[in-house]
Amino acid sequence: MLSDVAAEIGATSLSRSLQASTWMYPITESFHLLGIALLVGGAFIFDLRLLGVGRSLSLDSVANLNLMLSRRGFVLVVLTGLLLVIANPEEIILNRTFQIKMALILAALVNVGAYHWRERKGLGSWPKAHALLSLGLWTSVIFAGRFIAYT
Ligand code: HEM
């Protein structure tokens, strides 16, 4: 089932042209890394502020800048990540580490959503717990991304 989807993606003209090009893969992967820097950089600075680092800076100003960068980085990693999948669908989609990576990204997004939802509702969030979870989950996503090539 999943292998049929992968085969269909592999037969598209976009996939074929990505496969035929020497430079498209490394260029896309470089933009993927740039997106990761923005996403994880922004998220980590905000998480560290939640944990009490840089208390002299207001939480709002740290959030405004870093979460904006983080959201833009996320858009970039998703777009470039999809291109990387399309370039190599049969190897990537069926790869167990890639599947784990997708589950970790989902968990990280649920954690972000839960933090902001509880804040908005005034339910009293547990900022430090969300921050630690965020640091751990995004770090695990980076490890999973790097390990795809070796598993
Ligand atoms: C929907 C989102 C994403 C998709 C579809 C995706 C997909 C991919 C694919 C297909 C690769 C190439 C694997 C290979 O050929 O070795 C890759 C590499 C990688 N990804 Fe993602 N990715 C996504 C989001 C992320 C995020 C959010 C992070 C980190 C926070 C991340 C971190 C990495 C890393 C570190 C690599 C290895 C880069 C390298 O070896 O040069 N990815 N990703």
Side-chain angles (χ1 to χ4, degrees):
M1 159 72 189
L2 215 50
S3 54
D4 295 339
V5 174
E8 273 184 39
I9 295 173
T12 60
S13 56
L14 177 59
S15 179
R16 282 166 195 266
S17 46
L18 287 169
Q19 285 162 32
S21 160
T22 311
W23 301 111
M24 274 316 286
Y25 200 89
I27 290 172
T28 308
E29 202 154 31
S30 301
F31 280 108
H32 198 60
L33 292 172
L34 189 61
I36 294 165
L38 288 172
L39 163 66
V40 177
F44 276 22
I45 290 172
F46 182 63
D47 292 337
L48 289 173
R49 175 63 187 78
L50 288 179
L51 290 171
V53 177
R55 270 180 229 272
S56 60
L57 302 168
S58 82
L59 189 60
D60 277 350
S61 59
V62 174
N64 285 344
L65 174 62
N66 289 289
L67 298 183
M68 179 271 283
L69 293 176
S70 215
R71 277 192 290 271
R72 289 178 188 196
F74 186 71
V75 172
L76 188 56
V77 288
V78 171
L79 293 177
T80 52
L82 287 175
L83 282 176
L84 294 173
V85 172
I86 292 169
N88 222 348
E90 275 155 295
E91 271 182 35
I92 302 287
I93 292 175
L94 302 175
N95 181 291
R96 183 53 87 195
T97 313
F98 173 75
Q99 294 167 357
I100 292 170
K101 176 179 156 177
M102 292 298 110
L104 288 166
I105 292 174
L106 195 65
L109 293 178
V110 169
N111 180 47
V112 173
Y115 168 76
H116 290 292
W117 183 76
R118 294 187 66 90
E119 280 286 302
R120 256 201 318 278
K121 294 265 170 193
L123 292 174
S125 60
W126 301 288
K128 291 196 167 137
H130 284 290
L132 287 172
L133 206 53
S134 168
L135 291 169
L137 285 168
W138 290 122
T139 302
S140 308
V141 174
I142 291 178
F143 271 81
R146 193 71 265 268
F147 271 80
I148 294 170
Y150 301 91
T151 52

